[in-house]
């Protein structure tokens, strides 16, 4: 479950833990944080379009705009927004944006407790749906504004252990799940929510993997909220 950190974002609702699931930390910065009751995630999975993975040709990070653009216009970049949201005991340098210290207790992917120190960080901000995966499942056909929105949407972002995250690569649910089994329901539910929100498709294997995880937590709710799916016009991508 997302925790309020440093006054950076709106309060979030409490997610009742079910077998195989943990509290959900991946939430948007505004709007309702959960939707639906029993079966909501499974129904959302069923609503996703199933297609094959398109070639990665043409992909680059720059196609999704400058990293951590301030698309919500709060004068803080997206990375610091997520650090403020997900860390506790946050300390700042030179104002209320630049996070210099905080605690990730626990890291959702590994279950470990990790200390964040700026400049020597063991914390990544992960795109729950990797940008490369999104590119191969619909995003290559979008305009730049929508790609920039996805890359900076708090619904799709979470602070995690760097070493664990870097083993994920651009894997989808069929090829990578968090080692921390208690977080898998929340993780998959978030991927489903992001793909539904942005109209991304899934492969057959990915859909099967999603349904297998969600079958173990039928009361898991579907995360909602985050930013609009169109970034302000002042932002550009290659």
């Amino acid at each position: 479950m997302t925790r309020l950190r440093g006054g950076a974002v709106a309060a979030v609702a409490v997610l009742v833990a079910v077998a195989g699931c943990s509290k959900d930390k991946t939430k948007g910065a505004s709007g309702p944080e959960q939707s639906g009751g029993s079966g909501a995630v499974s129904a959302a999975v069923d609503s996703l379009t199933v297609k094959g993975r398109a070639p990665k040709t043409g992909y680059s990070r720059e196609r999704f705009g400058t990293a951590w653009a301030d698309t919500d216009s709060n004068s803080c970049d997206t990375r610091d927004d997520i650090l403020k949201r997900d860390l506790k005991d946050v300390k700042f340098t030179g104002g209320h944006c630049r996070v210099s210290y905080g605690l990730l207790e626990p890291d959702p992917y590994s279950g470990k407790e990790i200390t964040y120190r700026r400049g020597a960080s063991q914390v990544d901000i992960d795109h729950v749906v990797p940008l490369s995966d999104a590119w191969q499942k619909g995003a290559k056909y979008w305009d730049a504004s929508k790609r920039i929105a996805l890359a900076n949407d708090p619904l799709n972002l979470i602070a995690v252990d760097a070493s664990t995250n870097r083993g994920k690569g651009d894997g989808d649910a069929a090829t990578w799940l968090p080692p921390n089994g208690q977080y898998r329901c929340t993780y998959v539910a978030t991927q489903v929510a992001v793909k539904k929100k942005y109209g991304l498709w899934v492969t057959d294997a990915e859909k099967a993997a999603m349904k297998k995880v969600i079958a173990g937590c039928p009361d898991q709710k579907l995360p909602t909220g985050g930013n609009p799916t169109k970034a302000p016009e002042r932002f550009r991508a290659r």
Side-chain angles (χ1 to χ4, degrees), residues 141-215:
Y141 305 109
W142 299 348
D143 61 29
S145 176
K146 189 173 180 180
R147 290 197 296 267
I148 294 167
L150 173 68
N152 293 280
D153 193 333
L155 185 66
N156 191 37
L157 296 169
I158 188 169
V160 296
D161 170 54
S163 61
T164 304
N165 181 51
R166 291 170 196 182
K168 171 183 173 179
D170 60 0
D172 59 24
T175 58
W176 191 91
L177 292 169
N180 178 14
Q182 291 188 331
Y183 193 71
R184 289 179 181 177
C185 288
T186 298
Y187 177 80
V188 169
T190 302
Q191 286 196 329
V192 173
V194 171
K195 293 207 164 189
K196 184 175 177 64
K197 177 178 178 178
Y198 283 87
L200 294 165
W201 69 72
V202 294
T203 65
D204 280 318
E206 181 182 7
K207 181 176 181 178
M210 287 173 162
K211 290 186 75 68
K212 181 178 180 180
V213 171
I214 295 305

Side-chain angles (χ1 to χ4, degrees), residues 6-85:
V9 298
V12 296
V14 174
L15 173 64
V16 177
V18 295
C21 297
S22 69
K23 293 181 179 180
D24 187 354
K25 295 176 61 180
T26 312
K27 294 300 172 191
S30 61
E33 301 302 337
Q34 298 285 332
S35 71
S38 179
V41 182
S42 183
V45 175
D46 287 336
S47 75
L48 298 175
T49 298
V50 178
K51 295 173 65 175
R53 181 185 289 270
K56 194 174 177 179
T57 306
Y59 170 76
S60 70
R61 176 62 179 83
E62 289 74 20
R63 299 301 297 269
F64 292 81
T66 303
W68 313 129
D70 179 21
T71 56
D72 63 0
S73 303
N74 70 349
S75 300
C76 302
D77 71 35
T78 301
R79 176 179 171 80
D80 279 310
D81 280 342
I82 303 304
L83 289 171
K84 287 189 288 183
R85 186 194 69 184

Side-chain angles (χ1 to χ4, degrees), residues 116-164:
Y116 170 84
R117 292 185 177 86
R118 198 173 198 103
S121 178
Q122 300 179 51
V123 174
D124 279 352
I125 304 302
D126 182 40
H127 290 96
V128 180
V129 173
L131 301 184
S132 175
D133 179 70
W135 178 262
Q136 295 172 82
K137 295 172 182 173
K140 70 181 297 179
Y141 305 109
W142 299 348
D143 61 29
S145 176
K146 189 173 180 180
R147 290 197 296 267
I148 294 167
L150 173 68
N152 293 280
D153 193 333
L155 185 66
N156 191 37
L157 296 169
I158 188 169
V160 296
D161 170 54
S163 61
T164 304

